[in-house]
Amino acid sequence: MSSVESHQEQLSQSDPSPSPNSCSSFELVDMDTSSLYEPVSPHWFYCKIIDLKETWIPFNSEDSQQLEEAYDSGKDCNGRVVPTDGGRYDVHLAERMRYAVYWDELASEVRRCTWFYKGDKDNKYVPYSESFSQVLEETYMLAVTLDEWKKKLESPNREIIILHNPKLMVHYQPIASSDEWGSTPTEQGRPRTVKRGVENISVDIHGGEPLQIDHLVFVVHGIGPACDLRFRSIVQCVNDFRSVSLNLLQTHFKKAQENQQIGRVEFLPVNWHSPLHSTGVDVDLQRITLPSINRLRHFTNDTILDVFFYNSPTYCQTIVDTVASEMNRIYTLFLQRNPDFKGGVSIAGHSLGSLILFDILTNQKASSGNIDNEKGSPSIIMDQGDTATLEEDLKQLQLSEFFSTFEKEKVDKEALALCSDKDLQEMGIPLGPRKKILNYFGTRKNATSIKRPTSHSASGTNMPGAPKESEFCSGDDIGNGVYLDVGIGQVSVKYPRLIYKPEIFFAFGSPIGMFLTVRGLKRIDPAYKFPTCKGFFNIYHPFDPVAYRIEPMIVPEVEFEPMLIPHHKGRKRMHLELREGLTRMSMDLKNNLLGSLRMAWKSFTRAQYPALQASESAEETEVEAESTSEKPNDGNTEEISVAVKEEIPSINVGMLNGGQRIDYVLQEKPIESFNEYLFALQSHLCYWESEDTVLLVLKEIYQTQGIFLDQPLQ
């Protein structure tokens, strides 16, 4: 207390009366009514550098309470570590520092805050240091107890703080003075507001996250270090994705939360860009980069070239090793910190990150006890060896009547596997049996040939005993019915093995379809599925220039629309409903007009019969009118909207997603529909804050646990 009194004595001599610039004339409190002193409630903050500025962010209420309890437990806080932010950060109390657990990030300062002043250029409040806050609190306590106000204090930075009354406290910045005698600075310039206690400042303090973690999702980024238009890192974007998921759990899984059936889904970022560019390749690129248009060339080297790096054997190996090892490392660390975790694991990739995960998944090895190798699956049939005769195979296909034809042409099983559609047609085999034979024997040939090691891949994809990978194949190779191996076009790398089996693979704005096509794959075998992953969802925005579909590679002979992702508030967006309504109305008008013109033309061209046949012609006219009234309905079926097409149950898109649909398209916003090109880049980066995307991810994850939305979205 003596230091505070000396401060007051020193400053009271230099402040006999408030200056005209002070705010004493704005006192709003009756000084006769003195209030009792109540200790201030502290709240813990941490400092983040945002846009090259220090920004103090409050911990959520639960984390702050835990930190305060640890602080109150004893003065000796050496070695005391408090996990915060759902276990993603650790706070070392003695150091007053906050460290990231699962990824590399600069440590941030932590502060126990009680007093704040308004910042320079914004309305955000900045906390005083803990030591000076204690001085302020002691001065405030004396002023309240003795009812003596207008106290003036000087901070260690020579800033002036004046306590006029409990509701009016101001802060003055130090002024540059040429006073050689070092006199005490006076309050000049614009005063800043001083507040006591976090409850008196405008700041959002969120509640804590649920302790129970139901599912873990690893998120892999695409090209470049920035993941959105604000040039934020993958960590910041995944933080947004996680925050959206927590909000949606409260609104769409409210019943399950109230019944304590669910906790939350944890999303953790996986960064491969930094390890790739720390190999020294940037230095090599800088030597050969031209000096002109420096910023554009730097952007190209740091971002666009990641696509070419992935197609290079050397750097592709670095990328896949980094992604797989990081996911394995984080998974092991996560289990160590959450020993009670019993949930599943899924993976998600954005842009090029989805292609990296796709290649890793296709090159995993299915264990002998895997559910994918259950009895009756096509892979088991392929892996048992080709011991059946041609007659037995044709009998299995219910095509025994064609055995004599093949016997006459001296075509055995090996020769039949080499036959093309044209060859079978020349033998007189009808179209239906031809397709069955080509598909059956082409798949068999591919399965047996895959068992032999090939030279283009050292990844284990085509190693003996790994027929699962062979099921992912292309369609006819230049019309000869030969399926191509999954590894075609892939660089020669060794794909590492994951120590867990992902349940679902989510791809956001993914170029997988394009890369597979460029690699020479024309078709995906409908029987193919990932060796260790059951689900696959290809999610994209309709204007995303990088996204491509997957389903047309599985069912190329059928044209159908992707599944439309419902709006998180239900129904379609209004402009989409309006567009479909206008389209339907125009079709109805067109068909009705055509029907009327057709009837009028027939009435003009029809020959006139005696009155005896008038009744018959009237009946014919009625029948024609009925038929024409039904024709518009037939026309409408050809112009079916996206929503109706989604409900067609007859589309078989293979087993890549367990028989379910794979392609899911978001609904564009009304403003985006005005100009597709203007919002193209933004569309590729929209997934991190898209409630519709996050809700689809949550819905599919919790469906595996038998938990569904409170109200199904239409």
Side-chain angles (χ1 to χ4, degrees), residues 488-531:
I488 189 169
Q490 289 179 279
V491 294
S492 178
V493 299
K494 184 176 181 180
Y495 288 91
R497 188 168 184 177
L498 301 177
I499 61 176
Y500 57 88
K501 296 177 182 178
E503 293 191 3
I504 307 176
F505 168 35
F506 300 98
F508 306 140
S510 173
I512 292 174
M514 180 269 291
F515 270 87
L516 295 181
T517 303
V518 171
R519 289 172 179 175
L521 298 173
K522 296 182 180 179
R523 183 170 179 246
I524 300 174
D525 186 357
Y528 176 75
K529 50 188 174 183
F530 293 123

Side-chain angles (χ1 to χ4, degrees), residues 209-466:
E209 301 176 10
L211 296 178
Q212 176 185 337
I213 299 177
D214 305 318
H215 203 86
L216 176 63
V217 180
F218 294 114
V219 184
V220 181
H221 65 86
I223 61 173
C227 296
D228 65 357
L229 291 177
R230 288 176 281 177
F231 298 97
R232 297 185 303 167
S233 66
I234 180 63
V235 174
Q236 294 170 301
C237 290
V238 172
N239 286 343
D240 276 354
F241 202 87
R242 188 187 306 107
S243 299
V244 173
S245 73
L246 292 173
N247 294 333
L248 290 175
L249 286 176
Q250 295 177 359
T251 56
H252 292 72
F253 293 87
K254 191 173 183 180
K255 294 180 181 177
Q257 278 195 336
E258 291 175 350
N259 297 331
Q260 297 183 347
Q261 293 178 291
I262 64 172
R264 64 184 176 91
V265 177
E266 180 63 280
F267 297 90
L268 296 179
V270 177
N271 182 9
W272 55 265
H273 181 270
S274 299
L276 170 66
H277 288 264
S278 62
T279 58
V281 65
D282 287 352
V283 178
D284 298 335
L285 285 173
Q286 190 60 37
R287 285 197 213 98
I288 60 176
T289 302
L290 301 182
S292 59
I293 52 174
N294 183 49
R295 292 185 179 180
L296 180 58
R297 295 186 191 277
H298 175 73
F299 173 79
T300 301
N301 291 347
D302 203 34
T303 303
I304 307 297
L305 288 190
D306 286 350
V307 179
F308 299 96
F309 284 139
Y310 188 66
N311 288 315
S312 161
T314 301
Y315 296 108
C316 180
Q317 187 70 64
T318 301
I319 293 173
V320 296
D321 284 346
T322 300
V323 172
S325 62
E326 271 295 284
M327 290 195 295
N328 289 339
R329 179 190 67 83
I330 296 174
Y331 179 68
T332 303
L333 181 58
F334 179 83
L335 292 182
Q336 292 174 359
R337 295 176 63 90
N338 301 273
D340 298 330
F341 176 72
K342 304 298 181 183
V345 183
S346 294
I347 55 178
H350 176 244
S351 189
L352 183 62
S354 63
L355 178 66
I356 298 170
L357 292 176
F358 186 88
D359 288 341
I360 291 176
L361 287 179
T362 55
N363 288 276
Q364 296 298 296
K365 292 182 179 179
S367 60
S368 58
N370 196 333
I371 191 173
D372 291 337
N373 287 335
E374 60 188 356
K375 186 177 180 181
S377 66
S379 60
I380 290 293
I381 297 174
M382 295 178 189
D383 200 28
Q384 288 175 344
D386 200 4
T387 58
T389 63
L390 176 60
E391 187 176 5
E392 292 173 347
D393 286 336
L394 291 175
K395 186 177 180 181
Q396 183 178 353
L397 293 174
Q398 298 179 351
L399 300 175
S400 301
E401 65 268 23
F402 299 106
F403 177 70
S404 58
T405 304
F406 292 125
E407 193 175 24
K408 179 181 177 181
E409 296 289 340
K410 296 183 179 181
V411 175
D412 57 8
K413 291 181 66 173
E414 293 184 2
L416 185 57
L418 298 174
C419 288
S420 65
D421 184 80
K422 186 177 180 181
D423 296 331
L424 296 179
Q425 186 177 4
E426 291 176 353
M427 295 182 199
I429 309 296
L431 176 63
R434 285 205 311 269
K435 292 300 181 181
K436 287 185 179 181
I437 292 170
L438 287 174
N439 180 61
Y440 182 80
F441 287 96
T443 306
R444 282 292 189 92
K445 175 181 178 296
N446 185 53
T448 55
S449 64
I450 291 301
K451 294 178 183 178
R452 299 189 297 271
T454 57
S455 59
H456 73 267
S457 176
S459 64
T461 304
N462 303 324
M463 297 300 290

